[in-house]
Amino acid sequence: MKNMYSLSESLSTAFALICTKLFYNGARLIRQPFYCRGKSRLQFARGLTTGYMCRFDLLGEEHDKRSKKLIIGENCKIGDHVHIVASEKVVIGNNCLIASKVFISDTNHGNYSIRDLNSGPHIPPDHRQLYTKPIEIGNNVWIGENVCILLGVSVGDGCIIGANSVVNRDIPNNCIVAGTPAKIIKMWDDSFSEWRKVENVINEN
């Protein structure tokens, strides 16, 4: 399918291409505006493409500016308004397709899974201690519009995450998930060469 760009869109893309060549060598196209806090903590392989108004917050200690917090594999395509927060580590595999308005964060303001006085409701959220767990996303993963992927999650190779899903637990390879929280609805079956529905019992494990 051929793209039909307007004159203004063509000019905007040309400007973005120049910026990409100057500041993001190896990427295919980083559309502007693009905001990256902690650029030295970003690592990407060739072919990276981003949409408009993406934001990467790559946090860390002032003395440790070179450790990579966000690692993106080859030929990944990221849509508009995608926000990624990486305080510990977020790894995205090869050939991933990420739709627009996706939020991926390995960071929480506070820890709500254990007894923690510093995470109580009497403390303003912005003053609570940051709690982090790494995120890993496999190869050939397709993430739909408005998806949230929360800290500590591992998404297997070949997965599809339906639009508006919230992923708060690990997903094995070759699954389709959807919902809030996201649950497995189909798995790839090599013997039938098709996506097959999964019984509810799997989601209850």
Side-chain angles (χ1 to χ4, degrees), residues 13-180:
T13 301
F15 174 70
L17 273 171
I18 293 170
C19 292
T20 301
K21 298 301 180 188
L22 289 175
F23 303 113
Y24 296 94
N25 187 33
R28 177 176 171 269
L29 176 62
I30 306 295
R31 287 189 171 86
Q32 302 294 317
F34 172 72
Y35 175 77
C36 183
R37 179 162 56 153
K39 184 184 171 189
S40 62
R41 300 183 177 109
L42 171 65
Q43 176 180 314
F44 58 88
R46 64 181 175 83
L48 173 64
T49 303
T50 69
Y52 297 103
M53 302 189 75
C54 289
R55 173 174 174 158
F56 298 167
D57 289 309
L58 313 181
L59 311 176
E61 300 297 332
E62 187 65 25
H63 65 274
D64 184 22
K65 294 183 178 179
R66 297 208 169 270
S67 63
K68 303 306 178 188
K69 303 292 184 178
L70 174 59
I71 299 173
I72 303 174
E74 291 185 352
N75 301 317
C76 288
K77 296 178 175 65
I78 297 175
D80 302 331
H81 298 273
V82 170
H83 185 192
I84 300 176
V85 179
S87 299
E88 187 168 340
K89 186 161 284 187
V90 174
V91 178
I92 299 172
N94 299 325
N95 306 309
C96 289
L97 179 61
I98 300 176
S100 297
K101 300 176 183 174
V102 169
F103 177 58
I104 301 170
S105 177
D106 70 352
T107 307
N108 252 0
H109 288 272
N111 186 351
Y112 307 99
S113 58
I114 60 171
R115 184 175 182 269
D116 182 2
L117 294 178
N118 294 319
S119 301
H122 55 286
I123 299 176
D126 197 35
H127 294 176
R128 297 172 195 168
Q129 185 173 355
L130 292 181
Y131 176 68
T132 67
K133 288 183 81 172
I135 292 173
E136 185 165 356
I137 297 170
N139 300 317
N140 303 327
V141 173
W142 177 21
I143 301 173
E145 194 109 346
N146 284 322
V147 165
C148 289
I149 298 179
L150 303 180
L151 65 167
V153 163
S154 176
V155 178
D157 294 340
C159 288
I160 300 171
I161 303 174
N164 300 310
S165 298
V166 175
V167 182
N168 64 352
R169 63 174 124 175
D170 293 348
I171 304 172
N173 292 342
N174 306 324
C175 290
I176 299 177
V177 302
T180 303

Side-chain angles (χ1 to χ4, degrees), residues 160-163 165 171-172 174-188 195-200 202-203:
I160 300 171
I161 303 174
S165 298
I171 304 172
N174 306 324
C175 290
I176 299 177
V177 302
T180 303
K183 294 183 177 180
I184 300 170
I185 56 175
K186 288 188 176 182
M187 297 182 76
W188 178 256
W195 294 98
R196 307 198 76 190
K197 289 184 178 180
V198 175
E199 297 296 334
N200 290 335
I202 292 180
N203 289 318

